[in-house]
C-alpha cells in the first residue's frame, strides 16, 4: 500500500516549497475516499484553462489514467502508475518524447499529479509473492483524488462562465443587428436625424472591441451598444410620433376643406393676379401647392409664449435681463443661442423664412433644450427648415415632448 509522504525529485530537477506543500496536502487527504477516474478527468478538461493546460497535457493525463487498472481512484489500492515514456507516447497519440516531458511537467506544476522518483530515476514497482504492489515509483494520481471536489466546483464555475459569455455574445450580436438595421432603415426611408454621427458611434463602439475579447469586454461593449440602440429608438419614436400627428392634422384639414369646398370655390379669385393680391392681404399665411386645380392657404401658427418657455426653460437665461416677457425678447435670446451653438446666420435666416421669425426662435429654444443629444445644431436646424418648407415638420409635437420631459410649470415666463 502506498502511503503519503514527501519525496524529492531525481536528478537535476529542483525541489520547491510548492511541491512540499502539495505533497503535504495530499498526505492529509481522506484515506477512504473514492472517485470515478473519468469523472475527475472530465472535470480537469472543463477547467483546463484555469490551470493553463494545453490539449496535449490532457492527452498525457488521459494516457496515465489508462494505466490505472481500476475504474475508481482508491488510495487503498495505491495510486502510482509507472509506464515508460515509450508506452505513454503510444497511448498519448504518438507525441514526441520532448513534448511528453514538457506536458508531464505542466501536470506536476498544476498540482494534478506528483512524481514518485526511484533512487535511479526509473519507473518500476516492487511486488510481493502474491503479485501485489508493495512499493511503486512513477506518477502518483493521489492529487486527483484529493482535489476531486475542488475540481468539480471549478468545472461547474467554468461551465457557468462559458454560458454567461455565450449569452453575452449572443445578446451583442442581436443588439448589433438591431442598431445596424435601424440605421439603414432610417437612412433609406429619409428619417430626420444625424445618422452619420450615429453611424460613427456604432463603428467606434465596435472598433474598441478586441479581436478575441473576454466576457468583461463583451459585456461592456453590449452596454454601450444597448445605450446606442435606445437612443436610435428614441429618435425614431419622436420622428414617427411627429409624422403621425402631422399626418392626422393634414387629414383633418383636408376633411374640413372638402366639407367646405363649395364656399372656397365661391370666394376663390378668378386669376393668378387676384390670388396674389388676396395672399398679400394676409401676411401671416403661407401658400402651399397641393395636387388639384386650386391652392390651399395654410396659416403659420405661433404657439403661446408661455408654452414655449415652459417647454424650453433654458432659453430664459439668455434673455436681455435674464428673463423673457415677450416674443421680441425670445427672438433676441435665440440669436444669442444661435451664435453659442455654432449655427450660421444663413441657416437661421432660412429658418426664419421657412417657419416665420417666432417659430424659428421657438425652434432654436427647443434645440438648446436638447443640445446634449444633438451633435450639430446647425445641421439639425437646416433639417427642420427643409422639412418645414416641404410641409413635413410641425413645432407642436416637439414642444409637447419637451413639456412632458420638463413638467408643466417648472419655470414660468417672467
Amino acid at each position: 500500500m502506498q502511503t503519503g509522504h514527501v519525496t524529492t525529485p531525481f536528478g537535476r530537477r529542483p525541489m520547491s516549497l510548492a511541491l512540499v506543500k502539495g505533497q503535504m496536502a495530499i498526505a492529509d487527504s481522506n484515506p477512504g475516499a473514492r472517485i470515478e477516474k473519468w469523472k475527475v478527468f472530465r472535470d480537469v478538461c472543463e477547467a483546463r484553462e484555469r490551470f493553463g493546460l494545453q490539449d496535449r497535457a490532457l492527452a498525457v493525463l488521459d494516457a496515465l489514467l489508462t494505466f490505472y487498472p481500476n475504474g475508481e481512484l482508491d488510495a487503498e489500492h495505491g495510486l502510482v502508475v509507472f509506464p515508460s515514456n515509450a508506452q505513454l507516447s503510444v497511448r498519448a497519440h504518438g507525441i514526441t518524447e520532448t513534448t511528453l516531458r514538457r506536458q508531464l511537467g505542466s501536470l506536476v506544476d498544476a498540482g494534478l499529479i506528483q512524481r514518485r522518483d526511484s533512487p535511479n530515476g526509473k519507473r518500476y514497482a516492487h511486488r510481493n509473492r502474491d503479485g501485489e504492489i508493495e512499493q511503486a515509483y512513477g506518477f502518483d494520481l493521489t492529487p486527483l483524488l484529493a482535489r476531486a471536489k475542488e475540481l468539480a466546483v471549478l468545472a461547474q464555475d467554468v461551465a457557468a462562465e462559458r454560458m454567461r459569455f455565450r449569452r453575452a455574445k449572443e445578446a451583442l450580436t442581436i443588439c448589433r443587428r438591431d442598431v445596424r438595421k435601424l440605421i439603414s432603415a432610417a437612412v433609406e426611408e429619409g428619417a430626420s436625424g444625424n445618422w452619420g454621427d450615429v453611424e460613427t458611434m456604432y463603428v467606434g463602439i465596435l472598433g474598441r472591441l478586441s479581436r478575441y475579447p473576454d466576457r468583461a469586454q463583451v459585456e461592456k461593449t453590449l452596454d454601450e451598444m444597448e445605450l446606442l440602440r435606445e437612443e436610435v429608438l428614441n429618435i425614431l419614436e419622436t420622428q414617427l410620433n411627429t409624422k403621425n400627428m402631422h399626418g392626422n392634422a393634414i387629414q383633418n384639414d383636408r376633411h374640413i376643406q372638402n366639407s367646405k369646398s363649395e364656399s372656397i370655390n365661391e370666394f376663390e379669385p378668378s386669376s393668378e393676379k387676384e390670388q396674389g393680391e388676396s395672399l398679400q392681404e394676409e401676411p401671416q399665411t403661407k401658400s402651399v401647392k397641393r395636387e388639384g386645380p386650386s391652392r390651399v392657404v395654410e396659416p403659420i401658427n405661433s404657439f403661446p409664449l408661455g408654452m414655449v418657455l415652459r417647454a424650453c426653460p433654458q432659453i430664459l437665461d439668455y434673455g436681455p435681463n435674464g428673463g423673457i416677457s415677450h416674443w421680441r425678447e425670445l427672438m433676441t435670446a435665440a440669436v444669442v443661442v444661435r451664435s453659442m451653438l455654432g449655427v450660421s446666420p444663413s441657416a437661421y435666416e432660412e429658418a426664419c423664412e421657412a417657419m416665420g421669425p417666432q417659430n424659428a426662435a421657438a425652434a432654436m429654444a427647443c434645440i438648446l433644450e436638447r443640445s446634449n443629444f444633438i451633435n450639430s445644431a446647425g445641421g439639425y436646424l437646416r433639417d427642420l427648415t427643409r422639412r418645414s418648407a416641404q410641409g413635413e415638420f410641425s413645432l407642436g409635437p416637439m414642444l409637447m415632448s419637451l413639456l412632458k420631459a420638463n413638467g408643466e410649470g417648472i419655470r414660468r415666463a417672467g
Side-chain angles (χ1 to χ4, degrees), residues 4 7 44 103 128 192 200 206 251 255 261 297 343 352 358 364:
T7 62
V44 173
Q103 300 306 330
N128 58 22
S192 299
T200 301
L206 295 181
Q251 291 176 3
H255 176 72
S261 59
V297 178
V343 178
C352 291
Q358 294 180 352
M364 205 68 242

Side-chain angles (χ1 to χ4, degrees), residues 127-201:
R127 300 178 185 269
N128 58 22
R129 292 183 178 181
D130 296 329
E132 295 178 351
I133 298 176
E134 292 182 339
Q135 181 71 35
Y137 298 101
F139 297 103
D140 192 350
L141 303 178
T142 304
L144 291 176
L145 178 60
R147 302 180 64 181
K149 292 183 179 180
E150 175 193 350
L151 293 171
V153 172
L154 278 177
Q156 293 176 1
D157 184 54
V158 169
E161 174 70 15
R162 186 179 295 112
M163 177 64 72
R164 290 193 294 268
F165 191 18
R166 182 166 63 250
R167 290 180 177 176
K169 289 193 292 185
E170 289 174 353
L172 178 58
T173 299
I174 293 173
C175 193
R176 285 177 59 181
R177 182 184 66 198
D178 291 346
V179 175
R180 175 69 273 166
K181 291 196 172 184
L182 288 171
I183 294 174
S184 299
V187 173
E188 291 173 2
E189 298 184 22
S192 299
N194 297 322
W195 300 114
D197 295 337
V198 175
E199 176 78 16
T200 301
M201 293 175 62

Side-chain angles (χ1 to χ4, degrees), residues 266-331:
E266 289 178 1
F267 293 98
E268 185 176 80
S270 59
S271 69
E272 292 293 329
K273 180 179 179 182
E274 290 174 348
Q275 289 179 4
E277 293 173 355
S278 138
L279 292 176
Q280 291 176 2
E281 293 175 359
E282 299 182 8
Q284 291 298 319
T285 62
K286 178 179 69 173
S287 64
V288 178
K289 289 187 178 181
R290 300 186 183 273
E291 295 181 0
S294 61
R295 291 189 293 179
V296 179
V297 178
E298 294 183 351
I300 300 179
N301 296 322
S302 294
F303 296 88
L305 177 62
M307 174 184 176
V308 175
L309 296 179
R310 289 196 301 274
C312 311
Q314 294 185 40
I315 194 70
L316 290 168
D317 297 332
Y318 300 91
N321 297 313
I324 295 173
S325 57
H326 50 76
W327 278 103
R328 185 172 297 277
E329 291 181 350
L330 176 64
M331 289 186 282

Side-chain angles (χ1 to χ4, degrees), residues 363-380:
M364 205 68 242
C366 292
I367 292 174
L368 172 65
E369 201 67 26
R370 290 185 55 84
S371 59
N372 291 337
F373 306 98
I374 299 173
N375 293 325
S376 174
Y380 190 79

Side-chain angles (χ1 to χ4, degrees), residues 90-108:
V90 170
R91 295 199 186 183
H93 311 294
I95 63 175
T96 63
E97 185 171 344
T98 302
T99 303
L100 177 64
R101 292 179 184 277
R102 184 168 61 250
Q103 300 306 330
L104 285 170
S106 66
L107 290 172
V108 172

